[in-house]
Amino acid sequence: MQGDDEVLCVHGRPSKGAGRSPDDLEAVTRTWTVVAPVATTIGVLEQLADYPLLFPCARWQVTRRMREQRAATTQDLKRNLAAFVDWVNATFHRPGGGPVIPPDPSGRNMHASRFRRTLAYFVVRKPGGLIACGLQYGHVRTRVTAGYAGQAESGWLDDLAVERLEMAIDQIKDDLVALDAGEHVSGPAADEYRRRLARVAPYAGRVVNSVRSVERLLTSADPAIHHSRAMTCVYRAETAVCRRIRLEAGLSADGPDESECRPTCPNLAYTDRDIDALNGRLVRQEAAAADPLVPRPRKERAAAQAARTRGIIDQHQAGRPALGGTASGGI
Ligand code: SF4
């Protein structure tokens, strides 16, 4: 365990890039931090595969690796995916009798490159997703990652735009449902949080048939509310403390930056969901502060963090409206 979340790692040898080959047993190994679905998939693959390589080779390495280690080509992958879909649909059935994996509405065959959308999902929906993706790929800058696969026609930027819109719609729905169910929101940006959700609530879905309409919808429907780890950022550039810090350091700043987040920022809000996460964090901080084996500087730091966390939780609970009352504003 590390920090608030379990850290899942994959150990291997990098194969992408000049002069690298996974066949080189002397090569330095590398560790990648991965999300849970990737770790699960690799675990299953390790049990199923009897090949020395779990993943298909890059196209320019096809000949040697295919010959020596039977790595799958992209065409093999396409065939395997089709066979997998056929097997699932022949083996399992929906209650109504329809196929478990319905035909692709686009009419095209499933292809490995379609999984790029999965990458877009995590880049957009996980805190620091673009940075994490850049680290995974060994990119020098996140700008390289944003332009993944190099050219605009690769469609990667479109994937990101569509995913952003889907996330905004999902998130608006979840936030509105939570507010309707009585979720309490505290923090200096609590009122603005409710105002923005009330503004975008009438959005009932529109026809989206081009990336341009995705971007237009995002501009009008995105409330710029970012749920992160145990806090919610109701982003407003003019008052964003992280933005000011980055600009003062001569860095670009085009959105919330959790790594520079400060408790004094007026854009901060805490939902009940954040408070649940903070309660879990408080337990770990208090345990570290009381642990006789932890060195004194770390104990003092943990104690200070615990005091701050407890303060946020207490203020949140103190501002909770009585049953039947109205929510109060900032803490
Ligand atoms: S400092 Fe934190 S709350 Fe403020 S804008 Fe940045 S990420 Fe959002």
Side-chain angles (χ1 to χ4, degrees), residues 7-14 29-43 46 54-55 136:
V7 176
L8 299 162
C9 296
V10 172
H11 305 279
R13 288 188 294 275
T29 56
R30 229 200 94 174
T31 301
W32 289 268
T33 304
V34 295
V35 290
V38 173
T40 306
T41 306
I42 291 177
E46 282 175 337
L54 293 180
F55 299 104
Q136 301 283 353

Side-chain angles (χ1 to χ4, degrees), residues 226 231-237 239-243 245 255-269:
H226 305 270
M231 56 77 105
T232 296
C233 171
V234 186
Y235 189 72
R236 185 165 166 259
T239 50
V241 174
C242 58
R243 180 173 182 269
I245 292 170
D257 180 352
E258 197 193 348
S259 66
E260 297 288 1
C261 191
R262 296 291 188 273
T264 51
C265 183
N267 295 351
L268 268 176

Side-chain angles (χ1 to χ4, degrees), residues 69-270:
Q69 296 178 318
R70 295 189 293 154
T73 64
T74 47
Q75 286 307 314
D76 290 336
L77 272 184
K78 195 172 159 187
R79 273 191 295 275
N80 290 348
L81 284 169
F84 177 71
V85 171
D86 289 346
W87 175 78
V88 169
N89 285 339
T91 312
F92 305 99
H93 302 280
R94 282 187 187 281
V100 177
I101 303 177
D104 191 328
S106 74
R108 288 179 291 168
N109 288 329
M110 185 84 86
H111 193 277
S113 63
R114 300 284 294 278
F115 291 115
R116 200 176 46 191
R117 187 66 195 281
T118 309
L119 185 62
Y121 178 95
F122 285 103
V123 164
V124 169
R125 295 186 185 231
K126 289 284 177 183
L130 188 61
I131 295 167
C133 180
L135 288 172
Q136 301 283 353
Y137 280 88
H139 290 162
V140 181
R141 285 167 172 255
T142 50
R143 201 180 301 163
V144 179
T145 316
Y148 178 59
Q151 296 114 19
E153 62 264 30
S154 71
W156 168 238
L157 295 178
D158 299 350
D159 286 338
L160 286 180
V162 171
E163 196 55 52
R164 273 196 201 101
L165 179 64
E166 286 200 1
M167 186 188 79
I169 294 168
D170 287 351
Q171 191 184 291
I172 290 166
K173 191 188 86 194
D174 291 347
D175 290 348
L176 284 168
V177 167
L179 275 185
D180 280 352
E183 181 172 62
H184 176 49
V185 185
S186 63
D191 288 342
E192 181 63 15
Y193 176 91
R194 294 188 199 94
R195 257 195 304 274
R196 288 191 194 183
L197 282 176
R199 177 169 56 79
V200 296
Y203 170 80
R206 317 240 171 90
V207 174
V208 176
N209 51 13
S210 72
V211 172
R212 282 200 60 194
S213 46
V214 166
E215 284 157 359
R216 229 182 2 253
L217 269 179
L218 259 178
T219 311
S220 61
D222 186 0
I225 291 173
H226 305 270
H227 291 287
S228 199
R229 280 172 291 221
M231 56 77 105
T232 296
C233 171
V234 186
Y235 189 72
R236 185 165 166 259
E238 295 77 15
T239 50
V241 174
C242 58
R243 180 173 182 269
R244 199 189 67 223
I245 292 170
R246 285 186 64 87
L247 291 178
E248 283 171 0
L251 300 168
S252 63
D254 52 5
D257 180 352
E258 197 193 348
S259 66
E260 297 288 1
C261 191
R262 296 291 188 273
T264 51
C265 183
N267 295 351
L268 268 176
Y270 298 98

